[in-house]
Amino acid sequence: AQSVAQPEDQVNVAEGNPLTVKCTYSVSGNPYLFWYVQYPNRGLQFLLKYITGDNLVKGSYGFEAEFNKSQTSFHLKKPSALVSDSALYFCAVRDDNTNAGKSTFGDGTTLTVKP
Amino acid sequence: DGGITQSPKYLFRKEGQNVTLSCEQNLNHDAMYWYRQDPGQGLRLIYYSQIVNDFQKGDIAEGYSVSREKKESFPLTVTSAQKNPTAFYLCASSIGPLENNEQFFGPGTRLTVL
């Protein structure tokens, strides 16, 4: 079985400060991990993914995420937040040991960046 | 929102009615998905299709039906058997069903039961 948790419903940061949005996962095989962003009343947009290889993954809009196998985490980070980064962020996982095609999404974390 | 379109953007349904939500993609993707989004609950998978003329139930398929007669189209019907259909519905596609393929999402349809 696969599952993913986003322990924070809301993250607030000041513009220019670093931001972290947390994600932990559970899989029986190897994880494939994804981050998506959703702006109000819109669909989700893909930010980045971890498949294999380098634990630090770089994605769109200056975001990056670090895969930590021992802590089963895949936290999303950005060195300097922008007000325009304010949105709803979803972490998703797929287990390479389960039926292909099914992703499990976290409940989402609302990021608010204040000027 | 890439090459995926969903229509209508807003849909109102009376109790006891069936309604069909449209999803079309021009990305030549094999796999397509339907999700339901409720506040504070993230996305829940309703149905998915890995290839034309084939589809699988997701985690909350009861009260919903789909078809995949064409590669580019994956319509979702919300039947009267769905007890609480008011939600935001998202369609997505991916190149293939492999685990490492990211999904591309449409803009969503907001369904409200009157």
Side-chain angles (χ1 to χ4, degrees):
Chain A
Q2 61 191 29
S3 65
V4 62
Q6 293 180 243
E8 300 161 316
D9 291 337
Q10 184 121 15
V11 170
N12 298 310
V13 298
E15 188 174 30
N17 283 359
L19 70 87
T20 299
V21 183
K22 296 180 180 178
C23 172
T24 59
Y25 67 89
S26 175
V27 294
S28 59
N30 293 309
Y32 298 112
L33 294 153
F34 305 82
W35 275 103
Y36 295 86
V37 60
Q38 184 181 32
Y39 297 98
N41 296 310
R42 302 286 298 276
L44 278 65
Q45 297 176 33
F46 168 73
L47 282 178
L48 51 80
K49 67 181 177 182
Y50 171 82
I51 303 302
T52 188
D54 195 348
N55 289 342
L56 184 63
V57 179
K58 294 186 183 296
S60 306
Y61 312 120
F63 284 95
E64 57 188 30
E66 186 167 10
F67 172 66
N68 188 318
K69 187 172 184 178
S70 63
Q71 297 186 4
T72 61
S73 67
F74 189 56
H75 301 331
L76 182 69
K77 300 182 180 183
K78 187 173 183 181
S80 179
L82 300 172
V83 172
S84 58
D85 292 329
S86 298
L88 182 58
Y89 290 81
F90 289 98
C91 182
V93 67
R94 283 183 176 176
D95 189 342
D96 74 348
N97 200 30
T98 59
N99 184 24
K102 295 184 69 172
S103 291
T104 299
F105 286 78
D107 289 340
T109 298
T110 299
L111 172 67
T112 302
V113 182
K114 297 184 178 180
Chain B
D1 299 325
I4 300 181
T5 58
Q6 291 185 242
S7 61
K9 186 172 183 179
Y10 298 97
L11 185 58
F12 298 91
R13 189 195 93 170
K14 294 181 180 180
E15 288 199 22
Q17 282 184 334
N18 292 354
V19 291
T20 297
L21 283 59
S22 170
C23 177
E24 304 278 332
Q25 55 99 357
N26 62 3
L27 300 170
N28 200 34
H29 286 174
D30 284 319
M32 297 187 74
Y33 314 82
W34 273 106
Y35 293 93
R36 170 180 171 140
Q37 184 177 20
D38 295 282
Q41 293 191 43
L43 275 67
R44 292 183 289 169
L45 182 65
I46 304 172
Y47 269 97
Y48 64 103
S49 169
Q50 298 181 8
I51 199 166
V52 175
N53 292 322
D54 182 63
F55 51 83
Q56 313 291 332
K57 291 183 178 180
D59 300 319
I60 56 164
E62 184 175 355
Y64 300 97
S65 66
V66 294
S67 63
R68 186 83 189 279
E69 297 176 0
K70 297 186 295 183
K71 187 176 186 178
E72 59 269 24
S73 179
F74 192 42
L76 174 74
T77 297
V78 184
T79 74
S80 57
Q82 170 50 236
K83 299 305 179 187
N84 184 23
T86 294
F88 190 51
Y89 290 86
L90 288 163
C91 179
S93 70
S94 64
I95 293 174
L98 294 179
E99 297 88 345
N100 60 356
N101 291 322
E102 64 270 25
Q103 296 179 31
F104 295 78
F105 285 80
T109 292
R110 189 167 297 279
L111 173 63
T112 303
V113 174
L114 302 174

